[in-house]
Amino acid sequence: MKHLLVPCDLREESYTALRVAGQLADKMHARITLLHVAADEAAAQRAHDALEDLKSRLEQEVRCVIATEVCEGDFLVEIGRSARELEADMAVMITHGLQGDQRYSGSLALQVITEAGLQILVVQSSTSPLLPGAKTLLALLY
């Protein structure tokens, strides 16, 4: 694997997935693209700065090439489109668990797994990445 896509909702908990992706990229000599899908142009402008901050934090911990991308649109559609356009081999994303009506429709992580068409590693937000006691919630070859 040479390219990891990391969809990021910009919550602090998402940094767990970034760290996992960074550690994997280090070991595999892969590059990372941090992706945020914004609802509108104003949110996209704010997301650029936030992604750059996350990129800077991660660069202090790992030695791999990290790019950022912000796009507007539907979360599920844009992750799949970005994965294809960027030729990502795998996505690494956080799950925050089921929230609200997701108890009926499934989590966003589950929806991405079924819609994106690439390998996805889903990391539980409440654990430290790849450290003793860390948990991987779900790893699928889809």
Side-chain angles (χ1 to χ4, degrees), residues 38-46 71-73:
D40 55 43
E41 189 173 332
Q45 291 296 327
R46 290 188 302 272
C71 56
E72 296 175 43

Side-chain angles (χ1 to χ4, degrees), residues 70-136:
V70 176
C71 56
E72 296 175 43
D74 178 84
F75 182 78
L76 297 173
V77 170
E78 293 303 320
I79 289 176
R81 182 197 59 76
S82 294
R84 287 185 298 279
E85 285 183 8
L86 297 169
E87 297 180 352
D89 300 301
M90 182 170 79
V92 178
M93 63 183 297
I94 198 77
T95 181
H96 301 290
L98 297 176
Q99 301 172 0
D101 67 352
Q102 291 176 349
R103 289 181 182 90
Y104 308 105
S105 62
S107 71
L108 289 177
L110 178 60
Q111 292 175 38
V112 171
I113 288 168
T114 58
E115 298 293 327
L118 78 156
Q119 297 177 36
I120 300 177
L121 174 65
V122 180
V123 180
Q124 189 173 355
S125 66
S126 62
T127 62
S128 298
L130 300 181
L131 299 172
K135 299 175 189 171
T136 299

Side-chain angles (χ1 to χ4, degrees), residues 5 9 13 26 59 81 121 137:
L5 179 66
D9 63 8
E13 297 89 5
D26 259 358
E59 286 174 332
R81 182 197 59 76
L121 174 65
L137 176 65

Side-chain angles (χ1 to χ4, degrees), residues 31-84:
R31 70 186 192 277
I32 294 174
T33 298
L34 306 179
L35 171 69
H36 179 75
V37 181
D40 55 43
E41 189 173 332
Q45 291 296 327
R46 290 188 302 272
H48 280 287
D49 292 338
L51 277 186
E52 287 299 321
D53 288 344
L54 290 172
K55 174 184 172 184
S56 295
R57 284 176 59 190
L58 189 59
E59 286 174 332
Q60 294 174 19
E61 298 179 34
V62 299
R63 293 170 309 208
C64 62
V65 174
I66 304 170
T68 62
E69 181 169 319
V70 176
C71 56
E72 296 175 43
D74 178 84
F75 182 78
L76 297 173
V77 170
E78 293 303 320
I79 289 176
R81 182 197 59 76
S82 294
R84 287 185 298 279

